[in-house]
Amino acid sequence: GAQESSRKMLRVALLAAAVASASAFSGLSALPRAQTRASAVSGMKMQDRSSAMPFLSRPPALDGTMAGDVGFDPLGFSNYFDLKWLREAELKHGRICMLGCLGFITQEKVQLPLPGFDNKLATEAFFTVPAGGLWQIFFTLGFIEVLSNNGKLTPGDMFIEGRAPGDLGFDPLGLSQDESALRRFELAELKHGRLAMIGLGGMLHQMLLTKQAPLEQLANFQPLST
């Protein structure tokens, strides 16, 4: 009936959304290679298209030289802002969200034996933690931000000394000594950061709606009541 038809349409829409999202994590090698004259012409046309969203034109600044660049910029930020500055912001947000996802799960199982630190839900713990603790985090992050950039925080001066986006000189394991390995790690960090940003948003909404911590929700799934 009409209900079954609606369910089928919803499944198709979800599948299409999942395919579009997954394409943002695929490499440029996924593009078909030209084998004949006709396919060569088609390949040249595809170069002007975003590999992540083939129905849109590839932004001029996204030429594929940066790690993880698949031409995904539907809002055109790269047309107005410095690409290095945008990559710096993406990496920082990704790193924070990777730490945040770990923190959400850790907080559910381990809490400090102090008043105000016993709440398992991060969305509620923020309001029960003493204000002094929050200010410590705020000033520590601000200190790291200023120190890591030598006080240069704007797109115009952040990279004038040749620093690569996201490179803070922190490499205690010496992973950057191998150039090929460094390229793999750069792409891996970017992909993990992007997934963490999506995951953190999912965890936040899940906790707000279900009042359950992530692991508890996985073990005892409760659908939203209608």
Side-chain angles (χ1 to χ4, degrees):
Q3 186 175 5
E4 182 63 25
S5 177
S6 299
R7 289 179 178 176
K8 289 182 179 180
M9 292 178 63
L10 178 59
R11 293 192 188 102
V12 172
L14 290 174
L15 178 61
V19 171
S21 300
S23 65
F25 297 95
S26 62
L28 292 176
S29 59
L31 291 175
R33 294 187 177 183
Q35 299 295 336
T36 63
R37 183 179 298 274
S39 61
V41 173
S42 176
M44 292 178 64
K45 292 181 179 179
M46 284 297 295
Q47 291 179 0
D48 296 327
R49 295 291 177 178
S50 166
S51 59
M53 306 179 72
F55 52 87
L56 293 179
S57 298
R58 176 181 58 81
L62 301 182
D63 56 4
T65 56
M66 275 191 170
D69 177 8
V70 290
F72 183 81
D73 185 19
L75 299 180
F77 287 127
S78 61
N79 296 327
Y80 305 100
F81 300 98
D82 178 38
L83 199 59
K84 291 183 178 181
W85 190 70
L86 293 174
R87 174 50 58 87
E88 177 89 1
E90 181 181 24
L91 285 171
K92 286 183 177 180
H93 282 82
R95 290 167 180 173
I96 290 172
C97 287
M98 284 189 282
L99 290 172
C101 288
L102 179 62
F104 281 6
I105 296 174
T106 303
Q107 174 70 13
E108 183 176 354
K109 296 298 181 182
V110 181
Q111 298 92 35
L112 294 177
L114 298 172
F117 289 90
D118 57 349
N119 201 315
K120 295 182 178 181
L121 291 177
T123 51
E124 297 178 359
F126 179 83
F127 301 100
T128 60
V129 172
L134 297 178
W135 281 113
Q136 288 178 19
I137 297 174
F138 177 79
F139 283 114
T140 299
L141 293 178
F143 177 77
I144 294 174
E145 179 75 8
V146 174
L147 183 65
S148 61
N149 294 301
N150 296 321
K152 301 178 176 65
L153 303 177
T154 67
D157 60 10
M158 184 176 288
F159 305 104
I160 57 176
E161 297 178 356
R163 182 177 67 86
D167 183 6
L168 305 180
F170 181 78
D171 185 19
L173 300 180
L175 300 177
S176 61
Q177 296 177 4
D178 186 339
E179 187 68 20
S180 61
L182 176 61
R183 297 293 168 255
R184 293 197 304 272
F185 290 135
E186 285 180 346
L187 183 59
E189 180 188 29
L190 194 64
K191 288 184 176 182
H192 282 82
R194 290 171 176 174
L195 288 172
M197 286 188 277
I198 297 173
L200 190 74
M203 289 183 184
L204 282 172
H205 284 82
Q206 168 257 313
M207 284 187 283
L208 288 170
L209 294 173
T210 67
K211 304 302 180 183
Q212 289 180 293
L215 297 179
E216 180 186 355
Q217 171 74 352
L218 287 175
N220 303 286
F221 176 76
Q222 294 183 9
L224 296 177
S225 58
T226 57

